[in-house]
Amino acid sequence: WIDGTRGFVDLAVSGSSVCGLDDKGEVWCASENAQQMAPVSGLPSIRRVVGAGSSVPENYCALAVSDSVPWCWQAGGAATQVPGSPAFTDLWMEGSTNSPRFIACGLRADSTVACWGEGPPGDGPTGFSDTPVTVAGNHGFEQLAVGDRFACGRTVAGEVWCWGKNAPNLGGGPDILLPTLVTTGAFRIAAGQEWAQMISVGPVVRWEGAGFNFVSRPTGLSNLQVPGF
């Protein structure tokens, strides 16, 4: 699917599709059903593209060069600007296993975060939101990780705060409406659909507090050392 002649500088994946950002600021996408790479209509010049890895239908967002405001689209469709959005320095997103929606979070220049899509987005009362909602706490994040209906942020001091939706029908607890401290001493975080992982000077820990949880796994605010580390 990848056209190697276009000088891609960034790639993103969602479902069975892929999008590439070329060195001219254009985004080209292909999918299992449309394997010829084609430009995304409606986009301004772009500097960053991300995909909702597990989302079906496939979802993508990107940051505009001119004002760093996000634009989003579904594979094969036209892009639209996210309404009411601030400018972001970087962007993360992930799809939901139980919904065609996604959650996306952006980091502002002042280290605050805003999220939209599948909630809770981290401000307390809000559920699903089409517009970015500022995450509570003013924690001073420098990196984010987004999973299936949950997100985590890492501060300069190495604190990791997480928030999001639990799965009560799968044995989970209540939704985590506000950022909750999960661990300290982390210098890198990442997330998949089911959990977030944090690398620290000591062990690698896995958080299964929100998002998609199997009954056999612990839920709530659990820190689990990953075997082998």
Side-chain angles (χ1 to χ4, degrees):
W1 295 350
I2 302 297
D3 183 345
T5 67
R6 298 195 181 278
F8 289 121
V9 296
D10 200 9
L11 289 174
V13 174
S14 182
S16 58
S17 66
V18 61
C19 290
L21 171 65
D22 69 19
D23 54 10
K24 300 179 180 63
E26 297 180 333
V27 178
W28 299 74
C29 298
S31 68
E32 187 174 10
N33 297 324
Q35 298 184 14
Q36 179 94 23
M37 297 204 82
V40 178
S41 63
L43 277 179
S45 183
I46 294 299
R47 66 172 182 82
R48 173 87 164 106
V49 60
V50 295
S54 60
S55 177
V56 177
E58 295 93 343
N59 289 289
Y60 292 89
C61 292
L63 294 179
V65 170
S66 60
D67 56 9
S68 291
V69 168
W71 293 64
C72 297
W73 67 95
Q74 288 188 353
T80 58
Q81 184 175 326
V82 176
S85 178
F88 294 121
T89 60
D90 208 347
L91 196 61
W92 292 260
M93 70 184 301
E94 178 57 85
S96 173
T97 55
N98 297 326
S99 168
R101 295 170 175 168
F102 58 85
I103 180 174
C105 294
L107 184 65
R108 295 188 182 105
D110 65 359
S111 299
T112 60
V113 170
C115 299
W116 71 98
E118 283 284 359
D123 72 329
T126 306
F128 174 80
S129 178
D130 287 317
T131 59
V133 174
T134 299
V135 174
N138 195 26
H139 294 291
F141 294 123
E142 66 171 8
Q143 184 194 4
L144 304 178
V146 176
D148 179 1
R149 297 168 291 169
F150 72 91
C152 296
R154 179 179 58 83
T155 69
V156 176
E159 296 177 342
V160 178
W161 298 75
C162 298
W163 60 94
K165 189 173 184 65
N166 259 328
N169 60 319
L170 297 175
D175 294 347
I176 300 168
L177 302 180
L178 295 170
T180 301
L181 184 63
V182 172
T183 192
T184 59
F187 59 84
R188 189 74 180 170
I189 61 174
Q193 268 196 303
E194 299 171 12
W195 55 70
Q197 293 189 133
M198 304 91 182
I199 301 176
S200 65
V201 176
V204 177
V205 296
R206 186 173 71 195
W207 184 70
E208 300 185 12
F212 189 80
N213 293 289
F214 293 107
V215 176
S216 59
R217 293 198 180 117
T219 57
L221 294 174
S222 300
N223 286 327
L224 304 181
Q225 182 174 345
V226 177
F229 288 87

